[in-house]
Amino acid sequence: MSNMEQTLSIIKPDAVERNLENEIKEMFKINGFTILKEKKIQIEKSEAEKFYKVHETKPFYNDLCDYLSSGPIVVMVLEKENAVFGNRELMGATNPKDADDGTIRKKYGISIDKNSVHGSDSFENAKIEIDFFFKD
Ligand code: CMP
């Protein structure tokens, strides 16, 4: 049965800064994702705080929001069968040192903070995160 889904992906400042945008997009395409929408933007810290609100009680919240707003990012809507789970598999573990070979974070991630990509963690959050960046 078909389960076409969309998920939100962000290429984070560390990866944009190292000019990895095209290589990372290629990894999505090779793995069967269609990039339906994309834009390169820089967000305010206040917007990062809204985006990462689920993490507001975490000790790393402030640094995380400083970081996401520190430079240009590329936000994308990816589409594929089971896109949410598939994107999480392709990204690999949050901490690049725990990520499996062949994953984006293993290949490009520098640290748990500078882990190159974000991806929605559930179908519900994917809808919320896509609306956050692409509601018009
Ligand atoms: P991301 O998938 O964008 O979601 C939240 C981010 O917080 C995560 O990737 C990491 O880059 C960052 N982060 C920093 N410290 C931690 C931590 N201890 N656990 C989880 N995420 C962390």
Side-chain angles (χ1 to χ4, degrees):
M1 207 177 80
S2 163
N3 186 37
M4 199 54 99
E5 276 182 3
Q6 295 176 5
T7 191
L8 186 90
S9 171
I10 302 177
I11 304 178
K12 294 188 182 185
D14 67 276
V16 174
E17 184 176 82
R18 286 176 290 148
N19 289 313
L20 295 171
E21 179 182 340
N22 288 334
E23 281 181 57
I24 291 174
K25 283 186 199 162
E26 229 14 72
M27 281 184 79
F28 289 125
K29 291 180 201 164
I30 286 167
N31 283 279
F33 290 90
T34 302
I35 301 171
L36 289 182
K37 296 181 185 175
E38 60 174 288
K39 58 184 178 185
K40 188 187 268 184
I41 55 176
Q42 183 162 356
I43 62 172
E44 299 289 337
K45 185 174 181 183
S46 59
E47 296 174 279
E49 286 168 347
K50 263 172 86 182
F51 180 74
Y52 276 133
K53 194 156 177 46
V54 304
H55 294 302
E56 74 182 329
T57 62
K58 310 272 175 62
F60 55 84
Y61 179 63
N62 186 58
D63 286 348
L64 176 61
C65 297
D66 274 334
Y67 172 61
L68 194 71
S69 57
S70 68
I73 58 175
V74 178
V75 293
M76 295 169 289
V77 178
L78 303 181
E79 186 175 76
K80 188 186 170 176
E81 293 273 317
N82 301 309
V84 174
F85 181 74
N87 182 38
R88 294 188 70 74
E89 290 257 293
L90 179 57
M91 289 193 298
T94 306
N95 192 336
K97 74 175 170 54
D98 301 326
D100 290 335
D101 285 344
T103 63
I104 294 173
R105 285 166 169 164
K106 173 75 173 196
K107 205 164 171 198
Y108 300 117
I110 295 168
S111 66
I112 194 165
D113 303 295
K114 298 186 172 182
N115 62 357
S116 301
V117 282
H118 167 84
S120 307
D121 66 359
S122 67
F123 181 72
E124 278 309 306
N125 281 335
K127 285 197 285 189
I128 293 167
E129 293 184 353
I130 288 168
D131 267 6
F132 185 89
F133 285 109
F134 291 100
K135 191 142 195 154
D136 29 37

